[in-house]
Amino acid sequence: MGLIELIKDKFKKPEGRVEGVDKVTGKGKYAAEYEVKNMAYAVLVGSTVPAGSIQSILVDKAKEVEGVLDIITHLNKPIVPGLSTEEKIKEAKLGLPVFHTNKVYFKGQPIAMVIAETLEDATFAASLIETEYHKGSFSVDFDATKESVSLKPEGKERGSQDSWRNSQFIIDQQYNIKADVHNPMEMHATIAHWTGKDTLRLYDKNQGVNNVQKTFAKLWALPEKNIEVFSEFVGGGFGSGLRVWPHVLASIMASKQINRPVKLMLTRPQMFAGTGYRPASWQRIRLGSDGSGNLLGILHQAKNGTSVYENFNDGITRVSRLIYKLPNLKAEAAIVPLNLSTPTWMRGPGDCTGVFALESAVDELSYQLKMDPVELRLKNISLEKHPDSGLPWSTHFLDEGIRKGAKMIGWNSRKAIPKSSVDGDWYIGYGMAVGMWNAGRQEAKAAIIMHKDGSITVQTAMTDIGTGTGTGMQNIAHEITGISKNKINIELGNSTLPPAPSQGGSTGLSSVSGAVHDASNQLKVKLADYASSVNQNFKNAALENIILSDEGITLKDKSVIFVAYPELFEKNNLNEIRLEVSSKPGSEGEKYAFCSSAAHFCKVRVNKRTGKVKIEKLAVVGDGGKIINTQAAANQMSGAAVGGIGMTLMEENQIDAKLGTVIGNDLAGYHFAVNADAPIIEVEFINKPDPNINPSGAKGLGEVGIIGTAPAIANAIYNAIGLRMRDLPITPDKILLALNQR
């Protein structure tokens, strides 16, 4: 290798995540880090009561603080066209109409906002605001309130409940899960800047810039093109960035009020109250089988908490329609209004909650039947068709995942009789569970720009929330064009780029990959067309015969016919070549059903003296179609599984029922899984493309990495100690109490 080649090699972009260097060097800006000239700072003031109405709000002392520019309340605010009347507020369906009502729905609800020259001035002034309320009655206790809400049918009933009422084997149990909070590392923040009378720029932490753009275009009666939203770098979302929360509107109102850019960043306690959570839930599963282990029917009932001002149904019973061949099925659900802020989707929404009850019940049934839990699942999984719609699966390899996972965990070492494996003070147990998700895609656009030096830039508005979407896009473009990865740049997370859906629901890469795939192929065809002006052999060249390199274009089996990019650009008088492509679902959804799946296997140790649960080994096998980026996909799966560990063993959003106050609303008081709580999670993939879902064959993995984790751990605990834990989180005190009461 010569000197020039050595220098090029030294300074080429390193392999790995396309945004990795920018993140670790600080070049990449998160929402709160952008520097905008003449920026002011806003601080929210929350209600100190959980219900009632504002009688008076005194701001005079706060206004006297040096540096205070204005204070927004329901009595002093700019006009938002889409919220100007009660009728329009209902039509907007925004959730909480911040500063547009004197009603109080939950403790911590924003009731005022101080805008000042500095964050310190705004924070101090906020502490001086005094409010008097007409206090109302309230309820924040899900367990105490849920009995007052009646269940209603959810979805179409299948078969008949009477037909299996007297089944030979029946499990009929209840399962409870406490509310969990997303707690992404990056705080939710917005910088709002009215760059003109009718033009707005937002730097915002969210999972979909086009969703934010459309929401505020409607609220402010503006063309979408007049609102520019940046969310290029996101420090975790897990669903908390899928909705447009009140603080974003508040920051826009503040900027309009003072005619200056305004930054509003929530504190960690404010995020507990203002950016959603997985709601508390109750479930009942009644599950029956014959003596051979054939599942005959299920009754799945569920309730989840919501706010008193907005209905949120988590779709908990949906997963029971997805996994097993159940000839008889009935689902019922209800939402329980509470004086808390509105919940939202949290990784694996609904299905993650529902599968804890379903897979715990299936495990309980296996012990009744004296059948291996692996065998019971393999016997009943609906591998040929979607059990609800009847459509054939396009691809479905959960059975392969189960068999592979069993080998990875050493399932043959499991003792069939609980509490029969002991090592000193530790009981040892094995558990497993499966998870599934309805895979899909949405319409997405992508653009490719080729430059004179042979480098290309791939663009989409989709935000990469840390899932590796940008790297996946680079890999697809590299695989199709043949251009080196270090010459492929990725631009995303900006609403001015080709529009794309939000990053969520495991549809991100599945959606945008089709557009990148098609744009890459169209680039090859376009380049061949331009190259024909230099050499006629390229005219009407077939796609499969067009070969690109970092230097130029050639034809398959005719490598002597070559056109360098500089010559191509010069001959056609080009500065750049740009293509934009839209990719969306076709009629495939009428022919096939699509799913992603995962099999979770767990080995635990449970200490008989302390009740501590130590996860010794956790293995996950995912079927997400073609794996575009193996490392990022494995990171997704292991990260999701760690979230499942927290959900199972420690996470709980505690509420003081008498005061309506969230307790432990910070990273010290709210316990979640850290490195010490998780082993190195072993992840493998089936890695078989789905030929029908999109051109890339990728189906998505973001959800299934957590769906199934909780029941796998809970089932392993039962195998270890012989006591069934049906309420999450399973904390040491609960285990000790159960062991001592035995």
Side-chain angles (χ1 to χ4, degrees), residues 19-323:
E19 82 281 17
V21 172
D22 286 348
K23 282 183 173 179
V24 299
T25 59
K27 181 181 177 182
K29 300 294 185 185
Y30 294 85
E33 296 180 326
Y34 287 90
E35 296 180 6
V36 181
K37 188 178 179 181
N38 198 31
M39 186 162 61
Y41 298 82
V43 169
L44 292 174
V45 179
S47 165
T48 57
V49 301
S53 60
I54 299 170
Q55 182 178 358
S56 65
I57 185 163
L58 305 177
V59 300
D60 291 345
K61 291 181 181 179
K63 284 186 174 181
E64 292 175 0
V65 175
E66 185 177 357
V68 169
L69 301 170
D70 209 337
I71 298 175
I72 291 180
T73 68
H74 69 286
L75 302 173
N76 177 49
K77 63 182 183 294
I79 295 174
V80 180
L83 301 174
S84 57
T85 65
E86 288 294 328
E87 185 178 349
K88 288 185 177 181
I89 289 174
K90 291 179 181 178
E91 291 175 357
K93 296 180 180 179
L94 188 65
L96 178 68
V98 64
F99 306 135
H100 283 78
T101 179
N102 70 334
K103 295 179 181 178
V104 175
Y105 302 108
F106 62 93
K107 201 166 189 177
Q109 174 183 323
I111 59 170
M113 176 173 53
V114 178
I115 314 162
E117 294 287 357
T118 68
L119 177 61
E120 292 77 10
D121 289 339
T123 302
F124 176 57
S127 71
L128 301 178
I129 292 178
E130 299 175 0
T131 308
E132 294 183 359
Y133 306 91
H134 287 297
K135 296 181 181 179
S137 59
F138 67 92
S139 174
V140 295
D141 189 332
F142 174 78
D143 294 328
T145 310
K146 70 177 188 292
E147 300 303 326
S148 64
V149 180
S150 300
L151 290 160
K152 296 180 180 179
E154 185 164 72
K156 184 179 179 181
E157 184 172 351
R158 188 189 309 157
S160 166
Q161 291 294 294
D162 291 334
S163 65
W164 64 279
R165 191 175 303 280
N166 298 316
S167 299
Q168 188 175 355
F169 294 92
I170 288 182
I171 295 294
D172 193 341
Q173 296 292 348
Q174 297 182 37
Y175 306 85
N176 296 278
I177 304 176
K178 298 294 186 182
D180 299 338
V181 183
H182 303 76
N183 273 319
M185 185 181 297
E186 181 198 5
M187 314 297 284
H188 279 264
T190 306
I191 298 175
H193 183 196
W194 287 92
T195 54
K197 181 182 178 181
D198 294 322
T199 54
L200 174 65
R201 180 177 297 146
L202 294 173
Y203 302 95
D204 181 56
K205 179 200 172 90
N206 66 75
Q207 293 176 230
V209 292
N210 291 129
N211 179 44
V212 177
Q213 181 189 46
K214 290 175 182 177
T215 298
F216 291 116
K218 182 179 179 181
L219 284 178
W220 292 91
L222 295 172
E224 289 181 14
K225 65 180 182 179
N226 287 24
I227 300 178
E228 187 177 10
V229 185
F230 293 85
S231 188
E232 183 177 4
F233 294 91
V234 178
F238 317 116
S240 68
L242 285 172
R243 285 202 57 168
V244 177
W245 296 109
H247 71 270
V248 188
L249 174 59
S251 67
I252 298 170
M253 293 170 67
S255 179
K256 175 65 78 171
Q257 184 84 341
I258 67 169
N259 196 29
R260 283 174 59 178
V262 173
K263 178 195 289 189
L264 173 60
M265 186 171 79
L266 301 188
T267 64
R268 185 66 62 175
Q270 286 174 337
M271 284 173 58
F272 273 72
T275 56
Y277 53 92
R278 191 196 308 278
S281 63
W282 164 90
Q283 298 177 72
R284 177 195 174 199
I285 294 277
R286 189 173 188 270
L287 181 69
S289 81
D290 62 20
S292 299
N294 297 300
L295 297 181
L296 300 177
I298 188 171
L299 170 66
H300 192 172
Q301 298 173 318
K303 297 179 181 181
N304 69 255
T306 186
S307 65
V308 295
Y309 58 90
E310 190 174 10
N311 295 332
F312 178 80
N313 187 332
D314 209 15
I316 295 171
T317 66
R318 180 179 56 227
V319 72
S320 287
R321 300 179 176 276
L322 188 61
I323 302 176

Side-chain angles (χ1 to χ4, degrees), residues 361-378:
V362 171
D363 196 69
E364 294 193 53
L365 187 62
S366 74
Y367 284 94
Q368 272 198 15
L369 289 161
K370 294 182 172 55
M371 180 183 289
D372 189 303
V374 166
E375 181 186 347
L376 180 60
R377 287 171 173 83
L378 289 173

Side-chain angles (χ1 to χ4, degrees), residues 462-474:
M462 182 172 286
T463 294
D464 185 344
I465 61 174
T467 52
T469 301
T471 306
M473 292 165 58
Q474 185 188 62

